[in-house]
Amino acid sequence: MTKITLAVTGSIAAYKAADLVSALTKQGHIVTVLMTQSATQFITPLTLQVLSKNKVHTNLMDEAHPEVVNHIDLAKNTELFLIAPATADTISRLAQGAANDIVTAVALALPASIPKFVAPAMNTQMYQNPLTQRNIELLRSIGYSQIQPKAALLACGDYGKGALADIETIISTISTVLS
């Protein structure tokens, strides 16, 4: 049983987090979900709470237990960190060292030894933009692994690379690291 922290960001692909959480918990993993405020516009925290059987964290300043600093405690209790879907915005803020939401604050507080994954999901032009590619490369250089997006018909109507990888691909990728 691995303690997996899944960070869900504000992409239309956020609804797929329900299937991801369900699959991970069925494998016996303990899943803690973090959500950006934008992600909560696409899928409710309650859905992911029911599937994970754990509190979903959406607010950096929610300090329910005064004896611990929430984002530090979450990082200390993470054995694998996964951002899926990862928007261009979150990738950019993380690459720049921002810690202005629960996702980026926990990410920055993670020990270097923790496996970290980013699974991008965005429009093809946004994904291929040199700034996004530079940010992904910077994350790779500090220990993040990328789970490649797939080419598909995107929500905006464009066809191209940028769709969130299949849930099976994500599970398989992180299972390889865990075994």
Side-chain angles (χ1 to χ4, degrees):
M1 248 192 296
T2 303
K3 294 178 184 175
I4 297 174
T5 298
L6 171 64
V8 181
T9 69
S11 162
I12 186 65
Y15 77 92
K16 295 180 180 181
D19 289 335
L20 185 54
V21 170
S22 180
L24 290 169
T25 56
K26 285 177 183 173
Q27 289 183 349
H29 300 295
I30 298 167
V31 181
T32 299
V33 179
L34 315 175
M35 297 178 77
T36 62
Q37 288 301 308
S38 296
T40 67
Q41 300 298 303
F42 292 102
I43 184 169
T44 69
L46 181 59
T47 300
L48 300 177
Q49 177 178 299
V50 169
L51 292 169
S52 69
K53 298 182 181 30
N54 283 310
K55 175 180 171 47
V56 172
H57 303 270
T58 60
N59 185 342
L60 176 60
M61 303 316 256
D62 181 13
E63 298 290 344
H65 303 284
E67 68 278 5
V68 297
V69 177
N70 192 42
H71 65 281
I72 302 299
D73 193 54
L74 288 165
K76 286 179 181 177
N77 286 297
T78 297
E79 296 174 337
L80 184 141
F81 185 73
L82 168 64
I83 306 174
T87 60
D89 178 65
T90 297
I91 290 168
S92 174
R93 288 184 298 107
L94 191 55
Q96 300 309 311
N100 59 342
D101 64 22
I102 192 68
V103 170
T104 53
V106 170
L108 284 175
L110 290 168
S113 61
I114 299 299
K116 296 175 266 308
F117 293 88
V118 60
M122 63 195 75
N123 170 272
T124 303
Q125 296 305 315
M126 293 174 75
Y127 178 71
Q128 293 174 343
N129 186 291
L131 294 170
T132 301
Q133 290 303 306
R134 181 193 69 195
N135 290 332
I136 291 170
E137 191 54 43
L138 180 58
L139 291 180
R140 273 197 214 116
S141 75
I142 60 170
Y144 279 78
S145 297
Q146 180 187 8
I147 301 172
Q148 289 285 331
K150 65 181 183 177
L153 181 62
L154 305 173
C156 62
D158 292 350
Y159 182 88
K161 190 172 185 179
L164 182 67
D166 293 327
I167 300 303
E168 297 79 24
T169 301
I170 295 170
I171 298 283
S172 173
T173 302
I174 63 175
S175 292
T176 300
V177 169
L178 294 174
S179 59

